[in-house]
Amino acid sequence: MHSRTTMELFQYWNAVRGERDLPRRDEIDPAHIRSLLPDLFILQRRASGDICFRLAGTRLCALFGRELREQHFCDLWLGSEADGITRTTNQVMTQCTPMLLYARGATEAGDELDLELLLAPLASSDGANDRLLGALSALARPAWLHMTPLAHLVATGLSVPDIARNLPAERSYGKAADTKVSVAGSGGRNNRKLFHLRILDGGKGG
């Protein structure tokens, strides 16, 4: 993980879920992750199968120059990638496995920006695993950032955090204070394909 926002959200998600596959939406306390909120989002899979934004932080909306709530997540991506992105988000939900997605954003003028996204499974209050808690972080701060909106994203890679490796949490979160968290490891990489992306199991810790 290259972004501190990504790392902190992953730690929080992992602490709240405890020994379960995923936490519930009503267990996420915004007060515990207040500094991360501008970069966070929640996706929900509708009965139609469409995956849409339930919530989107202010910095995330500014990055694309529009309100994202109720918009389709795949609409942020280049049209040819929409199906693959939808499959990936569905996989996170159905397999209850968090993923790190790497992307390059482009403006209409051709300026580019590397980004890191965390997609972590999240259950509705009734226990259905039909939501995602996510973060989108820019990995650079060019002068045009948040002044010129991104027109689309192109996926550049995917990694699966190694949740089997336990590291102590930097913070405690109420009842989950004693829960251990884990981050992507650097060894034992097992490469495979997911649509057109190169997957690095374990990824790079950071």
Side-chain angles (χ1 to χ4, degrees):
M1 297 181 189
H2 304 289
S3 164
R4 185 165 184 83
T5 296
T6 302
M7 174 69 76
E8 290 186 2
L9 183 63
F10 181 74
Q11 289 180 331
Y12 177 69
W13 172 86
N14 215 6
V16 173
R17 79 181 179 97
E19 298 300 320
R20 301 165 297 167
D21 288 334
L22 71 172
R24 297 192 316 271
R25 167 65 181 89
D26 57 7
E27 294 176 312
I28 302 300
D29 186 348
H32 287 155
I33 48 175
R34 189 182 307 277
S35 65
L36 308 181
L37 295 179
D39 298 308
L40 302 192
F41 59 89
I42 291 179
L43 303 178
Q44 182 174 23
R45 182 173 54 210
R46 295 175 173 172
S48 63
D50 295 333
I51 297 174
C52 300
F53 285 95
R54 289 279 295 177
L55 297 170
T58 54
R59 196 149 47 219
L60 178 55
C61 292
L63 194 61
F64 292 91
R66 65 184 189 274
E67 174 59 54
L68 296 176
R69 182 179 170 85
E70 303 300 333
Q71 300 297 304
H72 291 76
F73 182 58
C74 65
D75 287 349
L76 299 187
W77 304 80
L78 198 64
S80 59
E81 303 210 330
D83 289 345
I85 291 299
T86 299
R87 287 197 300 272
T88 299
T89 49
N90 269 310
Q91 183 178 351
V92 173
M93 293 182 193
T94 58
Q95 297 186 7
C96 297
T97 301
M99 291 187 182
L100 285 168
L101 187 61
Y102 303 97
R104 182 163 295 124
T107 68
E108 292 289 357
D111 295 313
E112 293 185 335
L113 178 68
D114 287 328
L115 305 114
E116 181 176 77
L117 295 89
L118 173 66
L119 305 176
L122 189 65
S124 298
S125 56
D126 62 2
N129 53 327
D130 61 353
R131 301 192 186 200
L132 293 179
L133 174 64
L136 188 153
S137 303
L139 299 181
R141 293 288 184 270
W144 53 264
L145 188 64
H146 298 133
M147 293 187 292
T148 304
L150 295 180
H152 63 259
L153 302 177
V154 174
T156 58
L158 184 73
S159 68
V160 180
D162 184 0
I163 59 176
R165 295 181 67 239
N166 291 330
L167 295 175
E170 293 182 3
R171 299 178 49 190
S172 61
Y173 303 101
K175 292 185 296 183
D178 297 327
T179 303
K180 299 294 184 179
V181 303
S182 55
V183 297
S186 58
R189 294 183 176 183
N190 177 24
N191 298 346
R192 64 186 189 275
K193 293 285 186 177
L194 180 69
F195 56 107
H196 69 288
L197 299 180
R198 181 169 180 249
I199 301 179
L200 303 177
D201 280 352
K204 177 181 179 182

